[in-house]
Amino acid sequence: MPTPKPRVFSGIQPTADSLHLGNYLGALKQWVALQDDYDCIYSVVDLHALTVNPDPAVLRHRVRATAAQFLAAGVDAERSILFVQSQVPQHAQLTWLLNCLTGFGEAGRMTQFKDKSAKLGEKSITVGLFDYPILMAADILLYDARLVPVGEDQRQHLELSRTLAARLNSRYGEGAAVVPEALIVKQTAKIYDLQEPGAKMSKTGHPAGIIELMDDPKTIAKRIKSAVTDSGQEITWDPREKPGVANLLSIYSALTGRTVEQLVNDYQGKLYGHLKADLAEVVIEALAPFRERTALYLQDPGQLDRVLDQGAERAEAIARTVYQRVAARFGLGQAGAAAG
Ligand code: AMP
Ligand code: TRP
């Protein structure tokens, strides 16, 4: 028998109608490439999205729209498993077990929670938002995933997942959990806001700073042309002094496969305007087929739902086994399960 391929797990929240270029270059692009060598499981993590209290109809639409974009980007629902998190009940179940292993202070140190709760104000913060990283750890551990492709902003959450997996093993014996590793591709780990090159491109950022994958060509061209660049004129790679230009070069390089050195070389003596005009074309060309494919998937929601139902069935078959194994270590479940 061939040795099984190592497992990959990752997820994206359905919190917008369109993913943005940061999601694509930081995560989704890697997801697609990993399918050749790994056993991949990808999820639309709708339970995570509940932490921002979405309108139910909007959430329902965004779950489908996000799944359609995964498929349009090249996630293959036959080779990989594509599913919606809330369709597999073990995510919430394992979260509870992990909650009971996580220190209150430990969870309170998550910088994303601290940032978000500072923004929202104390009255609007829920226990769900606090618990978000533990649910993420459950997502990963539930499939014995070894590798988790994400952007830089998820590094600390991944570290918590590793800590919890190691804790399960030290408390309940080796083999209770697989300790996962983050896969963060350095060059595209953090794509920056076009208007504010010190901040990451984010769904909650100013619209002019974001390129959404579903944006039409005119919008894309406008956003790139009005991107904040830096003083001076020369196109050089200097993320510290010229973060705006460096961000454009990173995006350009990631979408074309040309190295940053090559680009800097080719643009010697040219102006920021040239770089922007060419990059706009590159992005428009890269995203056009993506938009078309997404629209096709969304035209047939019945078929999309069937794909997701099948994905959930396959995911649950794995999740059930792993959950029972972990729960038994805690002393839960039928007496017979403990022998497994
Ligand atoms: P989210 O939209 O928060 O669910 O993020 C989905 C994925 O995109 C995660 O792996 C993030 O780390 C990644 N991501 C989000 N924003 C960026 C960004 N600006 N640059 C690179 N990766 C990002
Ligand atoms: N928290 C991640 C984000 O906001 C999304 C996510 C949820 C995730 N569960 C996951 C990513 C499991 C990787 C693995 O980007």
Side-chain angles (χ1 to χ4, degrees):
M1 251 196 20
T3 43
K5 294 176 179 173
R7 169 109 4 106
V8 162
F9 183 94
S10 196
I12 294 182
Q13 304 181 68
T15 40
D17 292 339
S18 174
L19 300 176
H20 58 68
L21 214 46
N23 300 136
Y24 178 68
L25 295 177
L28 196 50
K29 188 165 170 246
Q30 277 66 258
W31 293 15
V32 173
L34 287 164
Q35 296 179 114
D36 292 334
D37 299 313
Y38 294 87
D39 176 13
C40 298
I41 306 184
Y42 298 128
S43 185
V44 179
V45 288
D46 56 345
L47 295 175
H48 278 98
L50 289 185
T51 58
V52 294
N53 284 315
D55 173 84
V58 172
L59 178 63
R60 191 161 284 126
H61 167 72
R62 287 178 171 173
V63 166
R64 283 199 187 116
T66 305
Q69 290 172 74
F70 289 1
L71 291 165
V75 168
D76 176 344
E78 301 277 325
R79 267 198 299 168
S80 305
I81 296 179
L82 168 62
F83 77 105
V84 178
Q85 186 188 31
S86 64
Q87 284 190 264
V88 177
Q90 288 81 5
H91 289 256
Q93 289 180 283
L94 184 59
T95 300
W96 181 254
L97 305 193
L98 297 181
N99 278 341
C100 298
L101 282 185
T102 310
F104 190 79
E106 195 173 32
R109 280 194 290 277
M110 295 293 113
T111 53
Q112 202 166 73
F113 170 73
K114 288 197 276 190
D115 291 349
K116 279 193 195 171
S117 49
K119 254 188 223 159
L120 286 169
E122 202 170 318
K123 284 210 185 87
S124 331
I125 315 165
T126 63
V127 175
L129 190 66
F130 186 67
D131 205 25
Y132 175 114
I134 327 292
L135 175 60
M136 175 164 164
D139 295 343
I140 297 166
L141 303 192
L142 203 47
Y143 299 95
D144 288 337
R146 287 188 185 280
L147 210 57
V148 183
V150 283
E152 179 62 38
D153 60 349
Q154 297 302 311
R155 191 183 287 281
Q156 193 188 27
H157 290 160
L158 241 297
E159 211 40 60
L160 180 67
S161 299
R162 288 169 56 78
T163 303
L164 293 177
R167 193 168 296 158
L168 274 171
N169 290 335
S170 70
R171 203 167 288 182
Y172 297 108
E174 285 308 312
V178 170
V179 181
E181 259 178 62
L183 175 72
I184 300 175
V185 175
K186 197 163 167 263
Q187 210 214 336
T188 50
K190 194 166 175 185
I191 300 297
Y192 294 88
D193 186 290
L194 298 177
Q195 288 299 318
E196 218 184 306
K200 72 167 180 176
M201 188 179 282
S202 149
K203 290 168 194 170
T204 52
H206 190 278
I210 306 171
I211 292 178
E212 295 197 327
L213 302 186
M214 298 300 286
D215 278 341
D216 58 76
K218 241 172 84 187
T219 309
I220 294 173
K222 199 166 77 192
R223 298 258 161 95
I224 293 180
K225 284 179 186 158
S226 57
V228 167
T229 34
D230 315 282
S231 57
Q233 307 194 332
E234 234 184 308
I235 295 166
T236 53
W237 175 255
D238 188 349
R240 195 185 288 257
E241 296 298 323
K242 297 187 170 204
V245 173
N247 191 37
L248 299 180
L249 287 169
S250 296
I251 295 171
Y252 201 143
S253 164
L255 288 177
T256 57
R258 286 157 74 185
T259 63
V260 166
E261 293 76 44
Q262 277 170 341
L263 290 171
V264 168
N265 208 22
D266 293 350
Y267 280 93
Q268 248 179 29
K270 297 202 176 148
L271 302 172
Y272 292 158
H274 293 125
L275 175 69
K276 286 180 174 178
D278 292 351
L279 178 60
E281 234 170 85
V282 164
V283 175
I284 288 166
E285 211 166 292
L287 295 186
F290 171 85
R291 271 172 60 210
E292 277 167 32
R293 284 197 294 268
T294 302
L296 278 181
Y297 285 114
L298 284 175
Q299 256 172 29
D300 192 350
Q303 173 59 18
L304 189 56
D305 289 352
R306 277 191 291 282
V307 169
L308 293 173
D309 285 345
Q310 276 165 13
E313 235 172 79
R314 289 165 66 202
E316 190 175 351
I318 301 166
R320 201 182 302 122
T321 309
V322 176
Y323 178 74
Q324 278 169 2
R325 185 188 75 213
V326 177
R329 299 283 184 118
F330 279 77
L332 300 173
Q334 292 141 330

